[in-house]
Amino acid sequence: MTKTASIKTEYQVTVNYPVWQRVEKIAGQFNLSVSELLEHIAKGELKVVAVPSNSETLKYRDIANYFIWLASQSDVEINAYKLQKLMYYAQAWHLAIYGTPLFNADFQAWVHGPVIPGLLEKYQSQFSWEPIADKIEQPKLSEEIGQFLEEVAEAYFEYDDETLERMTCSEMPWLEARGNLPREESCHTIISQESMKKYYSASVKEETSV
């Protein structure tokens, strides 16, 4: 009698990076690896329940207020132009990591970098180039969004508005929106969210491949 050789079949499921990050985060909440988490789910020891998510895009003023509030808690000065760059990087990295915009506004490729005109006008008219002195209570955002904005702040709060201007004006989304315009020429072209997502997603992939 001949023994039948056992054949082990392996299957691979490919998920995008934001989904994988979310699964890792859930596993970490139970002090488990991803494979251990999936094993517990397969055994019925953990139940997966789908709940409707709030897919409504936040208002840009809520995000701006959070940065202003956070700066007041950190003894960091933010003027109208630095706020624009913080908003821009928050939108850019949210597009890169999660694939969706964080808030409901577009940036224009102005001479001094990406700008939301209405937001700039509000604070420039009040404070000019001086630090924003509004007293703002902590905006009611989800824990996940709050943590994300704090990570953006941790990365960019240390830079002044001129440094952030040089950074954004050296990156492809702003450069592509302006095309061949001279550096000091006025421009109101919108920086496309697709170009932001593409450019900053490449940076995310570089970091995760190291």
Side-chain angles (χ1 to χ4, degrees), residues 11-169:
Y11 297 92
Q12 177 175 304
V13 177
T14 302
V15 297
N16 61 33
Y17 186 67
V19 172
W20 182 255
Q21 277 189 314
R22 182 60 179 158
V23 174
E24 284 186 319
K25 184 175 181 180
I26 294 170
Q29 292 172 348
F30 293 96
N31 294 319
L32 299 171
S33 67
V34 172
S35 59
E36 289 171 334
L37 174 70
L38 296 177
E39 186 176 341
H40 281 293
I41 293 172
K43 291 179 178 178
E45 297 169 351
L46 280 174
K47 186 177 181 181
V48 179
V49 179
V51 294
S53 61
N54 181 11
S55 59
E56 182 181 358
T57 306
L58 296 167
K59 295 179 180 178
Y60 72 81
R61 293 192 185 278
D62 294 330
I63 305 302
N65 285 342
Y66 196 92
F67 278 129
I68 295 168
W69 170 81
L70 193 59
S72 70
Q73 305 302 302
S74 312
D75 292 325
V76 171
E77 293 186 344
I78 293 180
N79 65 15
Y81 284 93
K82 180 170 180 174
L83 179 61
Q84 295 292 320
K85 310 309 183 292
L86 294 171
M87 296 286 290
Y88 175 77
Y89 278 123
Q91 184 81 305
W93 287 115
H94 200 275
L95 284 164
I97 296 170
Y98 300 104
T100 58
L102 176 62
F103 53 82
N104 61 345
D106 288 315
F107 289 87
Q108 295 180 10
W110 284 25
V111 169
H112 294 290
V115 163
I116 300 172
L119 183 64
L120 180 63
E121 181 181 353
K122 172 180 171 61
Y123 289 110
Q124 190 184 44
S125 62
Q126 286 183 266
F127 303 105
S128 186
W129 290 86
E130 296 301 312
I132 296 169
D134 277 357
K135 302 297 182 183
I136 293 176
E137 294 184 2
Q138 181 177 3
K140 295 180 180 179
L141 302 178
S142 70
E143 181 180 349
E144 187 175 6
I145 294 298
Q147 182 179 347
F148 172 77
L149 295 177
E150 287 170 19
E151 290 173 357
V152 173
E154 185 177 348
Y156 296 105
F157 261 15
E158 64 180 292
Y159 302 111
D160 61 22
D161 60 294
E162 292 182 355
T163 301
L164 291 171
E165 176 182 330
R166 288 193 294 271
M167 290 165 62
T168 56
C169 294

